[in-house]
Amino acid sequence: MFTRMGSATVKCRGARSDACCLCEHAPVTTTPDQHPDEATLDFLRSAFVPEWREPALGYEGVARWEAENRVTLPEPYRTFVTEISNGCSLGPAEDGGLQPLGWLPASWPDLGPRQPADPFPLEAAWPWEDDETVDPDDPRIDAVFTRGSVVLGSEDSQSFWLLLTAGSHRGEVWMVSDVGASPVPGAEAWGFAEWVQRWHSGESWWT
């Protein structure tokens, strides 16, 4: 089950750490990436069974979402939702599949409006459960959940796959949960196509 969420612009609360920097004024990502090659698109078409796909958004639908959210989606995800499928119930993530653009899993924590144009605040993995400077209301955690990403889906309703849409790690796939956030599978993070390829291979995410 997915929940659709709108976007809004709010000011940051000014918190800073070595792991994350919350910026009051975010640059807007508006320049499209190079169009993906046909081999990548052919793979993405083959990875998602047609009868399980949601209809693609089309160019007008994607352009409208990007204008409303002040950000351009990274490739090849942008072309995927434009031309192939806007979500698929059979596919990654494991808990309900790949969700539609701008929707959230039912178990997503309510931490305020999502801001995909604001830079994602982390430069490296941050296991905040082990960070003694963190308290339950730390605004840095809220920023990891709400800024610079779209949510691809959930894993066991406890962890969530993010595709970063703004910041220095734009285009990477990260995982966030109640205990921390990290690029997947490690410092050299997958992009959207590599993430799908790993799922399609049947291998574990972590081996």
Side-chain angles (χ1 to χ4, degrees), residues 40-48 50 53-58 76-87 192:
T40 298
L41 296 179
D42 285 345
F43 163 69
L44 291 173
R45 291 186 189 100
S46 69
F48 293 90
R53 298 178 193 166
E54 295 296 327
L57 280 180
Y77 178 76
R78 184 177 193 264
T79 297
F80 176 81
V81 297
T82 299
E83 300 180 2
I84 300 173
S85 176
N86 182 31
F192 177 71

Side-chain angles (χ1 to χ4, degrees), residues 29-40:
T29 305
T30 57
T31 305
D33 302 327
Q34 182 176 352
H35 192 271
D37 58 50
E38 284 304 313
T40 298

Side-chain angles (χ1 to χ4, degrees), residues 46-184:
S46 69
F48 293 90
V49 180
E51 53 264 35
W52 291 94
R53 298 178 193 166
E54 295 296 327
L57 280 180
Y59 289 96
E60 289 186 4
V62 169
R64 186 181 309 112
W65 186 92
E66 290 178 331
E68 291 173 352
N69 290 277
R70 305 181 302 112
V71 71
T72 298
L73 295 168
E75 293 286 7
Y77 178 76
R78 184 177 193 264
T79 297
F80 176 81
V81 297
T82 299
E83 300 180 2
I84 300 173
S85 176
N86 182 31
C88 184
S89 55
L90 181 62
E94 299 296 341
D95 186 13
L98 178 66
Q99 65 181 23
L101 174 63
W103 291 54
L104 299 175
S107 56
W108 180 260
D110 183 8
L111 298 174
R114 308 210 73 253
Q115 302 155 56
D118 287 0
F120 186 71
L122 300 186
E123 291 296 329
W126 183 29
W128 54 70
E129 69 169 345
D130 300 325
D131 189 336
E132 295 180 356
T133 70
V134 173
D135 64 59
D137 297 321
D138 196 312
R140 296 173 295 175
I141 296 175
D142 292 10
V144 173
F145 277 89
T146 59
R147 298 186 183 185
S149 69
V150 293
V151 184
L152 298 174
S154 66
E155 200 79 12
D156 299 325
S157 301
Q158 300 296 319
S159 302
F160 305 94
W161 296 104
L162 306 179
L163 176 65
L164 305 193
T165 53
S168 60
H169 293 277
R170 179 177 177 271
E172 295 183 357
V173 173
W174 285 51
M175 177 171 275
V176 62
S177 70
D178 60 341
V179 298
S182 65
V184 180

